Amino acid sequence: MRFETKAIHAGRQVDPVTGAVTTPLHLSTTYERSADGSYTDGFMYSRGDNPNRRSLEECLTALEEGYDSVTFASGMAAISAVIESLPQDMPQRIILPDDMYFGVLTLLNETDIGRRFDIVTADMSNIEDLKAAVKSEPTGLIWIETPSNPQIKIIDIAAVVSIAKEAGAVTVVDNTTATPVLQNPLSLGADFSLHSVTKYIGGHSDLLLGAVVAKEDSPMLQNLRTWQHAKGAVPSSFDCWLALRGVQTLSARMSVHCSGAKIIADFLNQHDKVEAVYYPGLLKHPGHDIAASQMSDFGGLMSFKVKGKAEAALKVANTVKIFTQATSLGGTHSYIEHRASVEKELTKAPDTLLRLSVGLENVQDLQEDLAQALSGI
Ligand code: PLP
């Protein structure tokens, strides 16, 4: 089956009891045990496993062409589970990219999890920088986020995987901004592909969920599965059901996100109040060629810097009418966000930078909205 077909059929079937075409929502937390002690359908208690979660995990495994998936209550729960699941017999050293989702830095800087690991950052868009970081000490895990949030840097997944393999390190790709439609990290050799399902896969800004898809069986995957039910940061059945509903239109939605983003990026790129546009679909983006080789399209997320000072950027964010000034990405609505004021002291985002998540509205309306907001600075 091809992607679009799997997105609708993988992990699901017509309900054998009622003939319902859409997957029923199962809210029961517990399942009946037979006289012989077995559980007829393999479900015992919903934290351990349940029909909606199993369907979603099977679907995501099929979409990422992996071996198995483990879902969590949020993207951050998935991220912390992956980091904590690094086997003890591997070097407890993690290399992170220099631009990545800010929540990971908060996790590692402000909780005990970070103190248990030696954390190093490298500019992975410069492979020599990564090679030097790997050579200096034994490394257990290399984290990749591409395109990165919010500076939209591009990392060559296959090149990082080859460095990691030589060093015996595990590679994890946060594939949230690319989605499994546009980029398949496991086929490029990565060990795990991770998603904030909250974003494009859910697609409607109405659920919170995270997922990790493994390329193959491993002690780390077993740790993740145990972490899921033993620590219990599991997604609700309803969120799994919503994610399964959302994923069916993922491919169709991504076509509109990508075509709209391309038009907006070209518009901003020619605007005299805009200093720089970060979108991998632009030929002048330093990661354009790599993005073109490892992605089938360039996504719906971009950032741009306005000319002038932070106040000018804030004024644009405050005067748009169709874009909503809100955090997050990947929903039907378009969002604009001044990341520096959200991320505060630890931010690496320039203070004139605005991040856009281009939604599914008419792109002419979006362009006119940005034009009117930019005309005010
Ligand atoms: N990864 C990326 C790239 C994100 O943008 C986010 C959230 O913005 C996360 C992970 C965390 O996901 P969640 O908000 O579902 O915990």
Side-chain angles (χ1 to χ4, degrees), residues 70 72 81-82 85 192 220-228:
V70 191
F72 294 92
V82 166
S85 294
F192 295 95
M220 191 157 158
L221 173 62
Q222 300 309 323
N223 281 350
L224 274 166
R225 186 61 78 189
T226 306
W227 201 101
Q228 181 192 44

Side-chain angles (χ1 to χ4, degrees), residues 1-16 20-24 26 43 49-64 68-69 240-241 243-245 247-248:
M1 284 194 280
R2 292 171 181 79
F3 190 94
E4 294 77 4
T5 316
K6 287 192 281 194
I8 291 165
H9 293 281
R12 278 151 288 185
Q13 55 177 352
V14 169
D15 180 38
V21 171
T22 54
T23 308
H26 294 279
F43 300 110
D49 201 2
N50 63 69
N52 295 106
R53 192 170 92 199
R54 188 179 290 180
S55 290
L56 177 63
E57 291 179 349
E58 283 177 17
C59 181
L60 295 177
T61 302
L63 295 182
E64 286 275 17
D68 198 9
S69 300
C240 293
W241 186 89
L244 268 173
R245 183 172 69 159
V247 77
Q248 296 177 66

Side-chain angles (χ1 to χ4, degrees), residues 149-150 152 176-177 198-200 203 205 253-254 256-258 260-262 264 268 278-279 299-304 322-339 354-361 366 370:
N149 172 12
I152 323 291
T176 301
T177 59
T198 315
K199 308 294 179 336
Y200 288 103
S205 305
R253 284 186 283 109
M254 287 317 294
V256 181
H257 285 299
C258 293
K262 227 168 275 168
I264 298 293
L268 292 172
Y278 305 101
Y279 183 65
L301 193 70
M302 75 185 70
S303 292
F304 68 103
I322 296 173
F323 279 84
T324 305
Q325 191 177 181
T327 199
S328 203
L329 52 110
T332 52
H333 297 61
S334 292
Y335 299 132
I336 188 165
E337 191 174 41
H338 184 250
R339 287 300 297 171
L354 292 167
R355 189 185 73 191
L356 298 181
S357 171
V358 176
L360 303 182
E361 301 94 336
L366 296 176
L370 288 169

Side-chain angles (χ1 to χ4, degrees), residues 145-335:
E145 185 180 304
T146 183
S148 70
N149 172 12
Q151 296 192 48
I152 323 291
K153 287 190 171 187
I154 298 294
I155 297 172
D156 183 338
I157 298 174
V160 174
V161 164
S162 107
I163 294 168
K165 282 209 186 321
E166 207 174 306
V170 168
T171 40
V172 181
V173 178
D174 186 331
N175 204 26
T176 301
T177 59
T179 80
V181 182
L182 307 182
Q183 182 167 273
N184 187 262
L186 304 185
S187 73
L188 296 166
D191 298 294
F192 295 95
S193 178
L194 180 142
H195 287 278
S196 168
V197 177
T198 315
K199 308 294 179 336
Y200 288 103
I201 295 178
H204 297 75
S205 305
D206 56 8
L207 67 94
L208 203 59
L209 205 144
V212 190
V213 189
K215 185 179 170 69
E216 54 198 32
D217 200 6
S218 66
M220 191 157 158
L221 173 62
Q222 300 309 323
N223 281 350
L224 274 166
R225 186 61 78 189
T226 306
W227 201 101
Q228 181 192 44
H229 69 80
K231 290 209 171 181
V234 291
S236 72
S237 295
F238 185 50
D239 278 354
C240 293
W241 186 89
L242 281 174
L244 268 173
R245 183 172 69 159
V247 77
Q248 296 177 66
T249 54
L250 179 62
S251 180
R253 284 186 283 109
M254 287 317 294
S255 302
V256 181
H257 285 299
C258 293
S259 63
K262 227 168 275 168
I263 291 169
I264 298 293
D266 283 337
F267 162 74
L268 292 172
N269 195 32
Q270 287 164 22
H271 201 288
D272 61 1
K273 303 265 179 71
V274 172
E275 191 184 309
V277 183
Y278 305 101
Y279 183 65
L282 292 174
L283 289 175
K284 68 176 191 186
H285 188 290
H288 173 78
D289 289 348
I290 293 166
S293 71
Q294 68 188 18
M295 298 174 76
S296 59
D297 207 336
F298 300 104
L301 193 70
M302 75 185 70
S303 292
F304 68 103
K305 282 199 292 191
V306 298
K307 286 184 180 158
K309 297 217 158 53
E311 293 70 42
L314 286 164
K315 189 165 182 199
V316 172
N318 285 326
T319 50
V320 284
K321 295 186 167 70
I322 296 173
F323 279 84
T324 305
Q325 191 177 181
T327 199
S328 203
L329 52 110
T332 52
H333 297 61
S334 292
Y335 299 132

